Protein backbone atom coordinates (compact mmCIF):
# COMPACT_ATOMS: atom_id res chain seq x y z
CA UNK A 1 0.00 0.00 0.00
CA UNK A 2 1.23 3.49 -0.89
CA UNK A 3 1.91 5.71 2.13
CA UNK A 4 2.09 9.49 2.08
CA UNK A 5 2.66 12.10 4.77
CA UNK A 6 2.13 15.84 5.01
CA UNK A 7 4.30 17.61 7.60
CA UNK A 8 2.55 20.44 9.46
CA UNK A 9 4.08 23.18 11.60
CA UNK A 10 2.41 26.13 13.29
CA UNK A 11 2.01 28.99 10.84
CA UNK A 12 1.57 26.71 7.83
CA UNK A 13 -0.66 27.65 4.89
CA UNK A 14 -3.69 25.53 5.78
CA UNK A 15 -5.23 25.28 2.30
CA UNK A 16 -1.99 23.89 0.91
CA UNK A 17 -1.51 21.10 3.43
CA UNK A 18 -5.14 20.16 3.95
CA UNK A 19 -5.86 20.09 0.19
CA UNK A 20 -3.21 17.41 -0.22
CA UNK A 21 -4.64 15.34 2.63
CA UNK A 22 -8.21 15.77 1.36
CA UNK A 23 -7.48 14.80 -2.25
CA UNK A 24 -5.22 11.86 -1.41
CA UNK A 25 -7.74 10.46 1.06
CA UNK A 26 -10.55 10.87 -1.52
CA UNK A 27 -8.37 8.74 -3.80
CA UNK A 28 -7.96 6.13 -1.04
CA UNK A 29 -4.25 6.85 -0.71
CA UNK A 30 -3.07 6.56 2.88
CA UNK A 31 -2.08 10.06 3.98
CA UNK A 32 -0.91 10.80 7.50
CA UNK A 33 -0.90 14.28 8.95
CA UNK A 34 2.44 14.61 10.77
CA UNK A 35 3.09 17.35 13.30
CA UNK A 36 6.55 18.86 13.42
CA UNK A 37 6.68 19.15 17.20
CA UNK A 38 3.03 18.91 18.31
CA UNK A 39 -0.11 17.09 17.27
CA UNK A 40 -2.06 20.33 17.71
CA UNK A 41 -1.41 22.82 14.92
CA UNK A 42 -2.52 26.41 14.46
CA UNK A 43 -2.13 27.45 10.85
CA UNK A 44 -1.15 30.85 9.54
CA UNK A 45 -4.81 31.91 9.42
CA UNK A 46 -5.65 30.69 12.92
CA UNK A 47 -7.29 27.45 11.78
CA UNK A 48 -6.65 24.79 14.40
CA UNK A 49 -6.42 21.09 13.61
CA UNK A 50 -4.92 17.90 14.98
CA UNK A 51 -2.29 15.71 13.36
CA UNK A 52 -2.14 11.91 13.45
CA UNK A 53 1.51 11.53 14.47
CA UNK A 54 4.73 13.41 15.20
CA UNK A 55 7.81 13.33 12.96
CA UNK A 56 10.01 10.31 13.43
CA UNK A 57 12.38 8.15 11.42
CA UNK A 58 9.28 6.28 10.19
CA UNK A 59 9.10 9.05 7.55
CA UNK A 60 11.90 7.19 5.79
CA UNK A 61 9.35 4.47 4.95
CA UNK A 62 6.78 6.72 3.25
CA UNK A 63 6.48 6.78 -0.53
CA UNK A 64 5.95 10.56 -0.55
CA UNK A 65 6.46 13.29 2.04
CA UNK A 66 5.00 16.74 1.33
CA UNK A 67 5.59 20.12 2.95
CA UNK A 68 2.96 22.86 2.70
CA UNK A 69 4.12 26.48 2.62
CA UNK A 70 3.31 29.51 4.72
CA UNK A 71 6.31 31.51 5.93
CA UNK A 72 5.80 30.78 9.63
CA UNK A 73 5.50 27.05 9.04
CA UNK A 74 8.33 26.99 6.51
CA UNK A 75 10.72 28.72 8.91
CA UNK A 76 9.95 26.10 11.56
CA UNK A 77 10.34 23.23 9.07
CA UNK A 78 13.62 24.61 7.70
CA UNK A 79 15.15 25.07 11.14
CA UNK A 80 14.22 21.60 12.48
CA UNK A 81 17.39 19.47 12.50
CA UNK A 82 15.49 16.17 12.88
CA UNK A 83 13.36 16.93 9.81
CA UNK A 84 16.43 18.08 7.89
CA UNK A 85 18.25 14.80 8.60
CA UNK A 86 15.21 12.73 7.64
CA UNK A 87 14.66 14.62 4.39
CA UNK A 88 18.35 14.34 3.45
CA UNK A 89 18.16 10.57 3.98
CA UNK A 90 14.94 10.34 1.96
CA UNK A 91 16.60 12.28 -0.86
CA UNK A 92 19.73 10.07 -0.75
CA UNK A 93 17.46 7.00 -0.84
CA UNK A 94 15.69 8.38 -3.94
CA UNK A 95 12.31 8.73 -2.23
CA UNK A 96 9.74 11.21 -3.54
CA UNK A 97 9.47 14.56 -1.71
CA UNK A 98 7.19 17.52 -2.39
CA UNK A 99 7.03 21.15 -1.26
CA UNK A 100 4.98 24.14 -2.28
CA UNK A 101 4.82 27.90 -1.91
CA UNK A 102 7.50 28.93 0.63
CA UNK A 103 8.43 25.33 1.56
CA UNK A 104 10.95 24.90 -1.30
CA UNK A 105 13.05 27.27 0.84
CA UNK A 106 13.29 24.41 3.36
CA UNK A 107 14.30 22.02 0.57
CA UNK A 108 16.93 24.55 -0.46
CA UNK A 109 18.33 24.69 3.07
CA UNK A 110 18.31 20.88 3.26
CA UNK A 111 20.35 20.70 0.02
CA UNK A 112 17.62 18.98 -2.00
CA UNK A 113 17.48 21.57 -4.80
CA UNK A 114 21.17 21.68 -5.76
CA UNK A 115 20.61 20.58 -9.37
CA UNK A 116 16.83 20.37 -9.46
CA UNK A 117 14.09 21.87 -11.56
CA UNK A 118 11.64 23.53 -9.19
CA UNK A 119 9.04 26.24 -8.68
CA UNK A 120 7.99 28.21 -5.61
CA UNK A 121 6.05 31.28 -4.47
CA UNK A 122 6.90 34.23 -6.77
CA UNK A 123 10.10 35.96 -5.70
CA UNK A 124 11.44 33.17 -3.46
CA UNK A 125 13.43 31.78 -6.37
CA UNK A 126 15.92 34.62 -5.78
CA UNK A 127 16.81 33.24 -2.34
CA UNK A 128 16.90 29.69 -3.63
CA UNK A 129 19.17 30.55 -6.57
CA UNK A 130 21.67 32.24 -4.23
CA UNK A 131 21.96 29.01 -2.20
CA UNK A 132 21.61 26.67 -5.20
CA UNK A 133 23.02 28.32 -8.34
CA UNK A 134 22.74 25.03 -10.27
CA UNK A 135 18.98 24.77 -9.59
CA UNK A 136 16.60 25.75 -12.40
CA UNK A 137 13.50 27.77 -11.60
CA UNK A 138 10.49 26.88 -13.80
CA UNK A 139 7.55 29.31 -13.99
CA UNK A 140 4.74 26.75 -13.91
CA UNK A 141 1.90 25.77 -11.56
CA UNK A 142 3.56 22.54 -10.51
CA UNK A 143 6.95 21.10 -11.46
CA UNK A 144 7.83 17.41 -11.33
CA UNK A 145 11.56 16.68 -11.34
CA UNK A 146 11.74 12.93 -12.01
CA UNK A 147 15.53 12.78 -11.77
CA UNK A 148 15.60 14.21 -8.23
CA UNK A 149 12.18 12.83 -7.25
CA UNK A 150 10.88 16.26 -6.28
CA UNK A 151 7.51 17.94 -6.83
CA UNK A 152 7.12 21.67 -6.20
CA UNK A 153 4.29 24.15 -6.68
CA UNK A 154 3.62 27.91 -6.52
CA UNK A 155 1.10 28.80 -3.80
CA UNK A 156 -2.41 28.50 -2.34
CA UNK A 157 -4.25 28.61 -5.68
CA UNK A 158 -2.10 25.76 -7.03
CA UNK A 159 -2.79 23.40 -4.11
CA UNK A 160 -5.11 21.17 -6.14
CA UNK A 161 -2.68 20.96 -9.07
CA UNK A 162 0.02 20.01 -6.56
CA UNK A 163 -2.11 17.33 -4.87
CA UNK A 164 -3.10 15.78 -8.21
CA UNK A 165 0.56 15.76 -9.32
CA UNK A 166 1.46 13.93 -6.11
CA UNK A 167 -1.28 11.34 -6.71
CA UNK A 168 -0.32 10.87 -10.38
CA UNK A 169 3.35 10.46 -9.44
CA UNK A 170 2.22 7.66 -7.12
CA UNK A 171 0.55 6.00 -10.15
CA UNK A 172 -2.99 6.92 -9.12
CA UNK A 173 -5.52 7.88 -11.79
CA UNK A 174 -7.05 11.27 -10.99
CA UNK A 175 -9.29 12.09 -13.98
CA UNK A 176 -12.56 11.10 -12.33
CA UNK A 177 -11.94 12.98 -9.10
CA UNK A 178 -10.63 16.00 -11.03
CA UNK A 179 -13.95 16.06 -12.88
CA UNK A 180 -16.06 15.40 -9.75
CA UNK A 181 -14.31 18.20 -7.84
CA UNK A 182 -14.81 20.56 -10.85
CA UNK A 183 -11.06 20.98 -11.29
CA UNK A 184 -11.27 20.17 -15.01
CA UNK A 185 -14.19 22.60 -15.29
CA UNK A 186 -12.08 25.31 -13.64
CA UNK A 187 -9.18 24.68 -16.01
CA UNK A 188 -11.49 24.73 -19.04
CA UNK A 189 -13.15 27.99 -17.93
CA UNK A 190 -9.79 29.64 -17.29
CA UNK A 191 -8.80 28.87 -20.90
CA UNK A 192 -12.07 30.18 -22.39
Amino acid sequence: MVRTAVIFANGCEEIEGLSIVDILRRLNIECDMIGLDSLDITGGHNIRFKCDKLISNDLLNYDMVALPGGMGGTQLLASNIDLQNIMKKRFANKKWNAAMCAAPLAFSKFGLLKQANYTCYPGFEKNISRENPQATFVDDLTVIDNKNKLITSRGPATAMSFAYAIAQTLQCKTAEIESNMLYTYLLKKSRD
Side-chain angles (χ1 to χ4, degrees):
M1 179 187 228
V2 174
R3 295 176 71 208
T4 63
V6 180
I7 312 298
F8 290 95
N10 288 324
C12 66
E13 186 67 58
E14 300 96 336
I15 193 170
E16 294 173 0
L18 295 174
S19 292
I20 301 165
V21 175
D22 180 278
I23 288 171
L24 295 181
R25 288 182 179 179
R26 285 176 192 243
L27 290 164
N28 295 313
I29 296 173
E30 181 181 336
C31 184
D32 290 329
M33 296 171 59
I34 310 290
L36 182 66
D37 52 20
S38 173
L39 294 177
D40 297 308
I41 300 295
T42 302
H45 304 285
N46 294 316
I47 298 172
R48 296 171 190 254
F49 52 94
K50 192 171 210 60
C51 289
D52 306 308
K53 303 174 182 181
L54 293 173
I55 64 164
S56 71
N57 282 326
D58 186 41
L59 286 171
L60 297 170
N61 301 316
Y62 283 79
D63 298 289
M64 176 80 68
V65 170
L67 309 181
M71 272 312 293
T74 294
Q75 289 170 340
L76 291 172
L77 295 170
S79 64
N80 188 286
I81 299 302
D82 292 333
L83 181 62
Q84 180 174 338
N85 290 334
I86 290 166
M87 296 306 286
K88 284 181 173 183
K89 287 177 188 172
R90 286 184 55 77
F91 185 74
N93 292 335
K94 301 195 181 312
K95 295 277 195 166
W96 278 99
N97 299 298
M100 71 175 303
C101 192
L105 291 169
F107 277 9
S108 177
K109 183 172 181 187
F110 300 164
L112 277 58
L113 297 181
K114 287 183 180 174
Q115 296 184 3
N117 294 322
Y118 74 96
T119 196
C120 59
Y121 192 81
F124 290 173
E125 69 275 8
K126 293 173 186 148
N127 293 340
I128 291 171
S129 67
R130 277 195 294 275
E131 289 182 3
N132 301 275
Q134 300 287 332
T136 302
F137 172 76
V138 180
D139 184 7
D140 209 346
L141 297 179
T142 300
V143 173
I144 300 172
D145 182 325
N146 288 299
K147 179 183 170 202
N148 292 293
K149 297 203 179 263
L150 297 172
I151 303 172
T152 51
S153 194
R154 300 299 304 253
T158 67
M160 291 181 94
S161 169
F162 185 58
Y164 292 131
I166 289 170
Q168 291 161 3
T169 300
L170 296 170
Q171 306 304 311
C172 185
K173 295 185 185 334
T174 62
E176 183 178 350
I177 196 168
E178 287 182 41
S179 177
N180 291 346
M181 293 183 77
L182 300 182
Y183 181 71
T184 50
Y185 172 80
L186 174 69
L187 293 179
K188 180 181 179 293
K189 284 298 189 183
S190 69
R191 291 183 193 122
D192 289 348

